[in-house]
Amino acid sequence: MVHASPGVGKTFYLLGLSAAITRKELPEDFCGWKIKKGAGVLFVDGEMNPSVMQNRLAKIEAAYPNNPESKKNSLSLLSCMNFSRQTGKTINFSNVDCRNEFTKIIARHPAKIIILDNIVSLMSTKDENDAGAWSVINQWLLYFRAIGKSVIIVHHSSKRGTQRGTSHRSDNLDTIIKLESREDGVTVKFEKHRNFGGDEAVPIHIDFHIDDSMAIFTRSENSDVDKVKRDRFILKMHKKGRSQKHIIRKVEKVTGKKLSPGRISQIIAEMKKKEQNANA
């Protein structure tokens, strides 16, 4: 489960993860996590306008200009709004007929990762605290684990900061991630981590770099001062005519962090804009 308050960036974060693991050539990591193996993703969106989702995905795809989507491991978007327009039906996995229909779709879909965004939109019940109502859905989700599908369910946080509704949702989950808003990004906290621990389970900070054309997610640098120094260093090398590969190697050597080509391009554009504003 990934849960957060409204507007923190749950959907954007998961689209970024989905894009990273469905590249033709796998990036070395996503926000510092090593990507060992690619996988197809079926992203079921329960509430957003399809055009908004496509716009967000286009910005994320722009971060991989020379690395297209894998033909084997593709990212498929299933919009409930489109589904309703085409079929006249709504998607509610609390309904047994709906579950049965989608069981067939998901079981034969090549994607290994299924993202259900979100519980409120896709699994509507009269009472979110009804453990019995969730038990039926829980057994359905366990079936997908049994046939080799990893399911990520997206949810809203309560006013207390915990996942909203019955605590029984947590019982069979391997991992629970809470996203908390911070300046320029989010803090990722692991509330449950069944298969890992120690340093792998400590909270981390993720920066969201989103503009009109591109969206990039990176693990946050140590301080704002370090970022300013790094960005000036990148612009200086760019002005000297250094290649992007050369800049990436130098930045990694100096900071210990490897930035993507897309992030390097974005930093250069941001620094040039700041210079123009300063000289205006």
Side-chain angles (χ1 to χ4, degrees):
M1 174 188 288
V2 175
H3 74 91
S5 299
V8 170
K10 302 182 290 292
T11 300
F12 238 136
Y13 169 79
L14 287 168
L15 280 174
L17 171 63
S18 300
I21 62 177
T22 54
R23 295 302 90 196
K24 183 177 180 180
E25 296 180 10
L26 288 176
E28 290 188 7
D29 61 38
F30 175 75
C31 298
W33 292 298
K34 298 298 181 183
I35 300 177
K36 298 179 180 179
K37 188 176 181 180
V41 178
L42 173 60
F43 198 115
V44 183
D45 172 61
E47 64 179 13
M48 295 189 69
N49 190 301
S51 62
V52 174
M53 287 291 285
Q54 290 291 349
N55 179 266
R56 289 186 174 189
L57 185 57
K59 289 183 178 183
I60 293 169
E61 294 277 358
Y64 305 99
N66 301 313
N67 192 359
E69 184 180 288
S70 168
K71 291 182 179 179
K72 178 183 177 182
N73 299 316
S74 63
L75 169 55
S76 303
L77 294 178
L78 195 163
S79 164
C80 288
M81 192 174 293
N82 272 349
F83 180 84
S84 296
R85 288 171 182 167
Q86 294 169 6
T87 66
K89 301 178 182 179
T90 59
I91 295 179
N92 182 2
F93 295 135
S94 297
N95 179 281
V96 63
D97 292 332
C98 185
R99 287 199 306 275
N100 288 340
E101 185 173 349
F102 272 80
T103 297
K104 298 174 184 177
I105 294 173
I106 294 174
R108 65 173 177 256
H109 198 282
K112 294 295 184 181
I113 297 177
I114 314 300
I115 299 177
L116 303 178
D117 186 6
N118 54 59
I119 285 178
V120 174
S121 301
L122 296 172
M123 308 170 193
S124 178
T125 58
K126 292 181 179 179
D127 182 3
E128 283 190 318
N129 293 302
D130 186 346
W134 177 255
S135 178
V136 176
I137 296 175
N138 183 59
Q139 291 302 313
W140 181 62
L141 296 176
L142 285 174
Y143 165 74
F144 294 120
R145 177 188 288 176
I147 63 172
K149 308 281 188 178
S150 295
V151 180
I152 300 174
I153 53 176
V154 185
H155 196 26
H156 295 296
S157 300
S158 68
K159 292 181 179 180
R160 294 175 294 146
T162 57
Q163 63 99 0
R164 208 166 73 189
T166 176
S167 60
H168 286 283
R169 291 199 185 99
S170 305
D171 294 344
N172 292 120
L173 293 171
D174 288 329
T175 308
I176 301 177
I177 291 176
K178 179 184 178 182
L179 301 182
E180 292 184 347
S181 182
R182 59 184 291 274
E183 187 176 357
D184 295 329
V186 296
T187 296
V188 178
K189 292 186 175 180
F190 297 97
E191 294 183 335
K192 183 177 181 180
H193 39 92
R194 179 177 284 170
N195 300 316
F196 59 96
D199 291 342
E200 292 182 326
V202 300
I204 64 168
H205 302 307
I206 303 297
D207 288 340
F208 285 11
H209 304 279
I210 303 170
D211 57 29
D212 291 338
S213 61
M214 190 179 297
I216 297 175
F217 310 95
T218 56
R219 188 171 293 208
S220 179
E221 283 77 13
N222 294 331
S223 71
D224 291 337
V225 174
D226 289 338
K227 286 202 289 184
V228 170
K229 288 181 179 179
R230 181 207 64 188
D231 292 354
R232 288 175 177 170
F233 178 62
I234 289 172
L235 182 62
K236 184 178 180 180
M237 286 192 290
H238 172 71
K239 287 182 175 180
K240 287 183 177 181
R242 300 293 190 263
S243 69
Q244 199 174 62
K245 289 184 178 180
H246 176 85
I247 295 174
I248 290 172
R249 287 197 300 269
K250 283 291 185 181
V251 170
E252 184 177 17
K253 185 176 180 180
V254 172
T255 67
K257 296 182 180 296
K258 186 172 183 178
L259 300 182
S260 68
R263 181 60 186 140
I264 293 292
S265 298
Q266 194 176 44
I267 289 171
I268 292 170
E270 289 171 354
M271 293 300 289
K272 285 182 176 179
K273 189 174 182 179
K274 287 180 180 179
E275 282 191 343
Q276 291 172 355
N277 293 337
N279 295 328

